Amino acid sequence: MSKSTVTPRTIRQGLALAAIIAGSLATTSGAIAGECPAGKMQPNVRPMVDTKPVGVTDVTLGSINLEKQPANIKDRELRFRKLTIEPGGIVPWHSHDDRPALIYVQQGEIVEYASNCADPIVHKAGEIRPEVSGTSHWWKNLGKETVILYVGDVRKDPHDHNM
């Protein structure tokens, strides 16, 4: 049987970690991205737009095969990417019905055109946008500044190159 000793240093480290986590939660709770305005949510209100990527760089920074992890999610990959969208750039129409994602807007401002919102949705630096089943959309950088997005998604098909 092992014996553990709690020292004042261990307590300070634990309190510091708890403070960091609490501070992170406090600052991110208001950082949810722009949402569809009240009364503007409607299913299939915006038709699919057939565009190609314009001025977008999509770099996969890392991925994990989830079947080989304790979660044991067969045929799924957790992927983390960086998208850079130049002024006037377009992230083409895509669906999240089979690929949930979280988007963090690190720099700039970008406009989302969602299938279930009659109005465009503006996303600003520091915001997080959840993308779940029922979300189909495209994005455009209407500003003069390059937009940087960090994207974590769970994809099924490793050959799926949707942004």
Side-chain angles (χ1 to χ4, degrees), residues 5 7-8 14 45 49 63 65 74 109 126 139 163:
T5 305
T7 65
V45 70
V49 176
S63 64
N65 180 341
K74 186 177 172 154
E109 182 176 294
W139 300 57
M163 294 183 182

Side-chain angles (χ1 to χ4, degrees), residues 2-149:
S2 69
K3 191 176 177 182
S4 64
T5 305
V6 177
T7 65
R9 181 174 182 222
T10 305
I11 293 170
R12 282 193 309 274
Q13 288 174 332
L15 289 173
L17 179 59
I20 289 168
I21 292 169
S24 296
L25 292 173
T27 58
T28 59
S29 64
I32 298 298
E35 296 181 8
C36 186
K40 298 294 182 171
M41 283 288 277
Q42 300 170 26
N44 302 314
V45 70
R46 187 177 303 278
M48 179 180 151
V49 176
D50 188 18
T51 62
K52 301 292 179 211
V54 175
V56 180
T57 304
D58 182 356
V59 178
T60 297
L61 302 173
S63 64
I64 298 170
N65 180 341
L66 294 175
E67 189 171 2
K68 294 179 180 179
Q69 297 302 309
N72 192 25
I73 303 172
K74 186 177 172 154
D75 298 326
R76 293 290 174 159
E77 171 186 66
L78 174 60
R79 175 175 64 161
F80 190 68
R81 302 175 297 146
K82 178 182 180 182
L83 271 69
T84 304
I85 303 109
E86 299 301 326
I90 295 173
V91 176
W93 183 275
H94 58 279
S95 169
H96 289 275
D97 285 344
D98 191 34
R99 187 174 51 93
L102 285 172
I103 306 266
Y104 175 71
V105 183
Q106 191 270 326
Q107 173 183 302
E109 182 176 294
I110 192 158
V111 179
E112 173 188 8
Y113 300 90
S115 63
N116 56 359
C117 186
D119 287 353
I121 305 166
V122 177
H123 302 288
K124 300 176 181 182
E127 295 178 339
I128 295 174
R129 166 70 165 139
E131 298 180 328
V132 295
S133 182
T135 302
S136 292
H137 58 178
W138 66 284
W139 300 57
K140 184 166 186 176
N141 180 354
L142 298 174
K144 294 180 181 179
E145 178 182 9
T146 298
V147 172
I148 297 175
L149 306 175

